[in-house]
Amino acid sequence: MKKQQKLNTQRLHLTRIEGVKRYIQAHIDEPLNMLELTDVACFSMFHFQRLFALYTGFGVAKYVLFLRLKKACWQLAFRQHMSMIDIALSCGFNDQHSFSRAFKRESGLSPLTYRKRYFGQRAQPHETVGESMQPTDTLTTFLNLDLKHRLSVNDSKPHHNGQVKLVDFPFTAIAFLAHRGCPTTVLHTVSRFIQWRRENGPSAKISKTFNILYDDPNSVAPETYRFDVGASIVSTVKFNQYDVQQGEIEGGRCAVLRHIGNNSKLGDSIGYLYRDWLCKANVVLRNAPLFIERVQDFPDVTEENSIIDIYLPIA
C-alpha cells in the first residue's frame, strides 16, 4: 500500500512538472518568472524549485536558458535569413547583447562564430569528425537537449498512439542532398539543403520535406552511414553549388505511423513499427528504404508539437 501511494504521488508530481515544461516551451519567447511557474505547477514556492530539479535534473533557470539556447542553435543553423536580434527576441532574450553574452558563456563561442563555423561553411575533404567541424560538448547538449526525468515514472511513454495506417504512397519527384558519413554531422548537410531551398525553392510551405533513412545510425559504422534530406518538386533541379540532385521516392504501399514530439524519440517509434506492429501485421517488406515526412518541425513549432510521419514500404 505504501509503495502504491508513493508511486501515485510521484505520478502526480511528474504530471505537474510536465505541465510546467509544456508551459515553458509554449512561452519560451516571453518573460518567465518563478511565481508564474509555481502557479502552473500548483506547488508552493518553497518546494517547486526542488521538485523541478528532482524530476528534470536541472534548476528552473538553467532549464529555461538551455531551451532558449537550443532554439537559438537551430535558428542560427537552419534559419540563416534571421538576424541576430530577431533570434534573440524569438528566444526570450531582452536584446542581442544579453543573448550573445549567454550564448558565449555557455558555449565558448559567439552566435555569429557558431553560425559561420558549423553551418555557414562546407566541411573540407581533409576535415574529419572530432576536428574543426565538430560542435563543442555544450552545443551538442543544446542541439540534442532531451531532459529526462531522474525517476523512472512514465519515462517510457510513447510518442505515438500505436495507430498504423496502410496507404498507397504516390510516386514523388524530389530534390535531395545525400549525406554519407558520420551521423553527428548530418545537421551540416540539412543546413546546406535548407540554404539551397531558400535560394532555389520550392518553399517548405508548398512542398513536402522528406528524410530517407537508409541505415540505423546505431547499427552501422559511422563512415558508412547514409541519409538523404529532400523536398518534393514539380520542376527540374539545375546544377548547383550545394550538390543537390534530382531523385524520386517510388510509389507503393506503405505502413504509416505518426510520431509526435521530440526527435530523439523517433527511433522508439520506428522500433515500434518493426518490433511490434510488423510481427502482427502479416505483411511483407518491400525492397525500399524507410522514409519520413516532416509535417511540422522544430523550431517553427515547439518540440512537443512536432509531427513526423514514418513510412515503412510494404508489398
Side-chain angles (χ1 to χ4, degrees), residues 32-89:
L32 292 167
N33 62 68
M34 196 66 66
L35 184 59
E36 180 181 0
L37 298 180
T38 56
D39 287 343
V40 174
C42 298
F43 288 127
S44 93
M45 180 73 77
F46 302 109
H47 307 301
F48 169 63
Q49 295 182 61
R50 289 184 175 86
L51 284 167
F52 189 91
L54 173 68
Y55 281 86
T56 67
F58 285 82
V60 179
K62 183 64 74 173
Y63 179 85
V64 171
L65 175 62
F66 270 29
L67 283 186
R68 285 175 170 162
L69 291 175
K70 178 177 184 178
K71 182 178 180 180
C73 279
W74 283 82
Q75 289 180 331
L76 287 166
F78 305 131
R79 302 294 181 268
Q80 297 191 24
H81 62 288
M82 291 184 68
S83 67
M84 291 297 169
I85 184 60
D86 287 341
I87 292 175
L89 296 177

Side-chain angles (χ1 to χ4, degrees), residues 41-197:
C42 298
F43 288 127
S44 93
M45 180 73 77
F46 302 109
H47 307 301
F48 169 63
Q49 295 182 61
R50 289 184 175 86
L51 284 167
F52 189 91
L54 173 68
Y55 281 86
T56 67
F58 285 82
V60 179
K62 183 64 74 173
Y63 179 85
V64 171
L65 175 62
F66 270 29
L67 283 186
R68 285 175 170 162
L69 291 175
K70 178 177 184 178
K71 182 178 180 180
C73 279
W74 283 82
Q75 289 180 331
L76 287 166
F78 305 131
R79 302 294 181 268
Q80 297 191 24
H81 62 288
M82 291 184 68
S83 67
M84 291 297 169
I85 184 60
D86 287 341
I87 292 175
L89 296 177
S90 72
C91 295
F93 293 93
N94 293 329
D95 50 49
Q96 182 176 336
H97 179 69
S98 60
F99 164 57
S100 297
R101 186 171 63 246
F103 195 98
K104 188 168 186 178
R105 182 180 67 245
E106 297 296 334
S107 71
L109 299 171
S110 71
L112 183 59
T113 300
Y114 170 74
R115 170 175 272 179
K116 287 183 176 179
R117 180 179 298 182
Y118 297 124
F119 295 97
Q121 302 172 355
R122 294 182 54 183
Q124 298 302 312
H126 67 276
E127 291 178 327
T128 59
V129 176
E131 292 182 346
S132 60
M133 291 298 290
Q134 180 69 14
T136 66
D137 290 341
T138 305
L139 289 176
T140 301
T141 298
F142 297 157
L143 289 170
N144 298 302
L145 188 60
D146 178 27
L147 302 177
K148 297 179 180 178
H149 313 297
R150 291 191 171 183
L151 301 180
S152 60
V153 181
N154 209 28
D155 271 1
S156 58
K157 181 180 179 181
H159 285 247
H160 60 84
N161 61 11
Q163 295 182 2
V164 179
K165 298 180 180 179
L166 301 183
V167 302
D168 288 319
F169 186 84
F171 169 89
T172 302
I174 62 170
F176 77 95
L177 181 59
H179 176 90
R180 301 295 183 264
C182 188
T184 61
T185 60
V186 160
L187 293 180
H188 306 306
T189 301
V190 174
S191 177
R192 200 160 76 248
F193 181 79
I194 290 175
Q195 190 65 19
W196 170 86
R197 197 176 191 179

Side-chain angles (χ1 to χ4, degrees), residues 195-214:
Q195 190 65 19
W196 170 86
R197 197 176 191 179
R198 283 191 57 78
E199 295 176 8
N200 301 275
S203 165
K205 294 181 179 179
I206 60 173
S207 168
K208 295 182 178 181
T209 300
F210 296 101
N211 296 156
I212 316 298
L213 311 181
Y214 297 98

